[in-house]
Amino acid sequence: MDYLNAFLCGGLLCAIGQILIDTTKLTPARILTGYVVAGVLLSAAGLYQPLADWGGAGATVPLTGFGHALAKGVKEAVASDGWLGVLTGGLTAAAGGVTAAVVAGVMMAAIFKPGDKR
């Protein structure tokens, strides 16, 4: 059942993004940024954690999950470090994912020799 929930949750998030691309003049970059902000706002309102509990990886892997991780990290850092946590919490919470993305990007660039398409 966990796989089905993850598929449904992630699929719904992707479908909403595709509908936004098809029906609005928003650029993909603005939609992706909006997803991160939506994850932060839903997390701040206490609505994203139940979604993450139900949807599992379908809720935590997309960009809304990245926003949720940032908000959760800030909340925990503020609780332990005070106002300094506002600046450090999001970076600490997202460091593993950002590092993995950078390492994977460098490896792919080394393997496939990227360049401009002509």
Side-chain angles (χ1 to χ4, degrees):
M1 196 65 182
D2 290 340
Y3 294 121
L4 178 63
N5 291 348
F7 175 77
L8 292 173
C9 185
L12 180 63
L13 290 171
C14 291
I16 291 169
Q18 188 63 49
I19 290 168
L20 289 172
I21 289 171
D22 291 343
T23 61
T24 68
K25 293 186 180 205
L26 292 172
T27 63
R30 288 183 184 208
I31 293 170
L32 296 176
T33 304
Y35 266 40
V36 174
V37 172
V40 169
L41 294 176
L42 289 171
S43 182
L47 300 174
Y48 204 82
Q49 189 59 49
L51 179 66
D53 292 341
W54 176 78
T60 57
V61 172
L63 285 172
T64 50
F66 180 68
H68 172 63
L70 290 174
K72 191 174 176 182
V74 168
K75 183 178 178 183
E76 291 172 0
V78 167
S80 65
D81 301 333
W83 284 102
L84 182 62
V86 171
L87 301 173
T88 62
L91 296 173
T92 303
V98 171
T99 302
V102 169
V103 169
V106 169
M107 287 176 35
M108 293 300 113
I111 293 170
F112 293 106
K113 306 289 186 231
D116 291 337
K117 292 184 179 182
R118 295 181 191 241

